[in-house]
Amino acid sequence: MSIEALPGDLAEPVPSARRAGTLRTLARSPRVVIGGLIVALLALVGLLAPVLGTVAPSEINPAFRNKKPGAERVIRHDDGTETKFVHRFGTDSLGRDVYSRTLYGARVSLIIGITVAALAVSVGLVIGLVAGYVRWVDGFIMRIMDGLMAIPAILLAMGVVSLSRAGLVAVVIAIVIPDIPRVVRLVRSIVLSIREEPYVEAAITVGTPTPTLLARHVLPNTVAPLIVQGTFICASAILIEAILSFLGIGIPPETPTWGNIMAEGRTLFRVYPHNIFYPGVCLALAVLAINMLGDGLRDTLDPRFAKRV
């Protein structure tokens, strides 16, 4: 019986069944579920920051400087009415609401993490495919990648930021550059192992164009590892951005980020620890949740780890 004569319900059972099985496995992983829920919650908080925040994050009120969490504030309007609200996380040395700034900080940190992960994976994927498949440029590309990896990521990011004007774009570029070599090495190793497979050699024998060969046979095998790698890059980017902002060479101080909030509150940490405690907890929670999600995805999508669980 020819393949064309098979019933329609038996012609393509494997891909759909495999996807359904992968989704069920992911749903049963506590790390994927818990990490995904926390990340989704933080993303939702960042999106709804204008609604959830009590006041504008940059609003300065010298009369309410360094108020502790739970301090009440009354605003009297021109028409004689009053509005009372509570500074849930207290205020900083300029009288700005730490709660609102922390909410807006989630938005900035997640945007930077996701953007850095997407750019690093995209650029690293292209370079890794070329390095792994085109033999004569492999050595040249990998020596450049080795040179970049020899420099600690935070030092390389600090050097890139110091050469440009502080801002969101500069910080993203500074964090992306150290992460690209890691993606390149990952993709290159996958390509080198797949390039010797019989089905790839058969495709080359029949004259399949190189772009088609890479897109059809090589690229699908890099999706799962790159998803996992992207989660770790996202967590690392959020942490490095906070470090750069804490050191005063990252996002401008007027922009609320978790690193900026902690940097502004470190001088009075012993007396007013709330300026560092709340954004610090959010930062630790975000990095922990993304790493948990990445660990769960790795254990599910990577066959070598799937056999251990």
Side-chain angles (χ1 to χ4, degrees):
M1 181 183 296
S2 64
I3 295 178
E4 290 78 10
L6 291 175
D9 57 343
L10 298 178
E12 303 182 50
V14 177
S16 58
R18 186 177 301 170
R19 285 193 295 268
T22 302
L23 292 176
R24 285 194 297 268
T25 305
L26 290 174
R28 289 195 298 266
S29 173
R31 282 176 291 185
V32 173
V33 174
I34 296 174
L37 288 176
I38 295 176
V39 172
L41 178 61
L42 290 174
L44 185 62
V45 167
L47 290 174
L48 298 179
V51 179
L52 299 176
T54 52
V55 295
S58 57
E59 181 179 327
I60 297 176
N61 189 345
F64 269 78
R65 294 182 299 171
N66 294 318
K67 294 296 181 180
K68 294 186 177 181
E72 294 185 354
R73 177 183 172 188
V74 178
I75 299 179
R76 294 178 174 84
H77 303 283
D78 295 337
D79 57 0
T81 59
E82 296 182 350
T83 302
K84 183 174 72 174
F85 63 90
V86 179
H87 292 286
R88 297 183 177 91
F89 293 172
T91 61
D92 61 10
S93 58
L94 297 178
R96 295 173 298 188
D97 185 55
V98 177
Y99 170 73
S100 296
R101 291 178 63 78
T102 302
L103 295 182
Y104 279 88
R107 172 185 294 187
V108 176
S109 296
L110 290 176
I111 288 175
I112 290 177
I114 294 173
T115 303
V116 168
L119 289 176
V121 168
S122 301
V123 177
L125 174 62
V126 175
I127 299 176
L129 288 174
V130 174
Y133 194 81
V134 183
R135 297 177 185 270
W136 62 274
V137 298
D138 183 21
F140 175 74
I141 292 177
M142 295 315 298
R143 296 299 75 77
I144 296 177
M145 297 299 110
D146 291 341
L148 291 176
M149 292 189 67
I151 307 174
I154 183 63
L155 293 181
L156 183 57
M158 291 172 61
V160 174
V161 171
S162 64
L163 294 176
S164 59
R165 185 177 181 180
L168 181 62
V169 176
V171 170
V172 169
I173 295 175
I175 302 174
V176 165
I177 292 176
D179 285 321
I180 290 177
R182 295 168 176 81
V183 179
V184 171
R185 294 182 68 89
L186 173 64
V187 175
R188 174 181 175 270
S189 65
I190 296 174
V191 174
L192 289 177
S193 63
I194 295 175
R195 190 174 59 183
E196 307 301 329
E197 293 292 333
Y199 63 89
V200 175
E201 293 180 351
I204 296 175
T205 303
V206 298
T208 303
T210 300
T212 304
L213 180 66
L214 293 175
R216 182 177 300 174
H217 298 293
V218 179
L219 188 59
N221 291 280
T222 65
V223 173
L226 286 179
I227 291 176
V228 177
Q229 186 70 17
T231 59
F232 294 129
I233 292 175
C234 180
S236 174
I238 292 174
L239 190 59
I240 292 178
E241 180 278 321
I243 294 174
L244 294 176
S245 297
F246 188 82
L247 296 175
I249 57 175
I251 303 297
E254 61 270 14
T255 303
T257 69
W258 291 332
N260 279 338
I261 299 172
M262 290 188 289
E264 293 164 359
R266 69 178 183 268
T267 56
L268 300 175
F269 174 69
R270 292 180 179 272
V271 183
Y272 305 106
H274 63 273
N275 289 334
I276 290 183
F277 176 76
Y278 293 107
V281 168
C282 292
L283 175 64
L285 187 63
V287 174
L288 176 62
I290 296 174
N291 280 325
M292 286 179 60
L293 179 61
D295 286 337
L297 291 173
R298 180 197 59 192
D299 295 342
T300 302
L301 300 177
D302 193 331
R304 295 173 299 175
F305 290 92
K307 294 177 180 179
R308 304 178 189 177
V309 296

